[in-house]
Amino acid sequence: RLYWYVSRPSSAPLRLTLLDFEGTSPEPLLELELDPVPAAGVYGASLAEHDVRLEPGRLYEWSVALEVNQEGYSNEPVAKTVMAAKEADPALLAKIANAPALARVEALAAAGYWYDALDLLAQQVATDDPSQPWRELRAGLLEQVGLQAVVAFERGDGYAR
């Protein structure tokens, strides 16, 4: 899953685009038109649900844009990043197979599987179990990569998805 943060509600739809950063084709691997967001929060989209499989060892660029300008893309608010797809480590998979969620998150993060750790935390946040510090753990993971606006949201009173 890919995740992004929206700082406030918007009536504009979103456009998610995934490109093969190293590929020769300018055509996106995935381009989704998403509904407007009703509230500030962390949102996500599953690549598997759209039959997209990333090839280990390749770089991919993905972006999320608010489609506020019907005339063209030049003035749209956009966030984008480049990510590397990594082969799953069989030893790591065996280690975390029956581990509790917190141990899985820690092992994934320590091994550099950042998106997987984030996804597991997002799943735990969605359980809405107030006895567990999942949002604080997600804030800590996001803080490590300098996403301070999201960290502030996670540690505030807002609700994240």
Side-chain angles (χ1 to χ4, degrees):
R1 292 186 66 86
L2 300 177
Y3 291 94
W4 59 92
Y5 168 71
V6 179
S7 62
R8 61 181 175 264
S10 173
S11 60
L14 294 162
R15 184 182 58 259
L16 172 71
T17 306
L18 174 68
L19 301 167
D20 183 340
F21 194 70
E22 301 174 295
T24 57
S25 172
E27 294 299 314
L29 297 172
L30 178 66
E31 191 162 44
L32 296 176
E33 298 295 323
L34 303 167
D35 292 334
V37 295
V42 177
Y43 293 84
S46 169
L47 296 180
E49 287 177 10
H50 298 283
D51 296 323
V52 174
R53 183 165 171 82
L54 303 181
E55 184 181 324
R58 294 192 71 84
L59 295 176
Y60 297 89
E61 177 183 273
W62 68 277
S63 63
V64 176
L66 280 172
E67 295 184 323
V68 295
N69 184 356
Q70 300 299 326
E71 302 300 317
Y73 300 144
S74 63
N75 293 323
E76 291 181 343
V78 64
K80 64 181 173 178
T81 191
V82 175
M83 67 179 179
K86 187 175 178 181
E87 186 71 45
D89 177 0
L92 176 64
L93 294 176
K95 176 182 176 182
I96 66 173
N98 296 313
L102 180 57
R104 291 194 320 263
V105 167
E106 290 171 344
L108 288 166
Y113 292 90
W114 193 85
Y115 280 91
D116 297 284
L118 182 65
D119 186 44
L120 183 52
L121 284 169
Q123 291 173 38
Q124 296 302 316
V125 166
T127 66
D128 204 26
D129 180 355
S131 70
Q132 298 296 324
W134 301 116
R135 287 186 67 186
E136 178 58 34
L137 291 169
R138 184 165 68 174
L141 185 66
L142 295 166
E143 191 168 43
Q144 291 175 5
V145 294
L147 296 174
Q148 295 310 112
V150 191
V151 171
F153 175 82
E154 288 287 80
R155 291 183 173 148
D157 294 330
Y159 176 74
R161 287 181 205 16

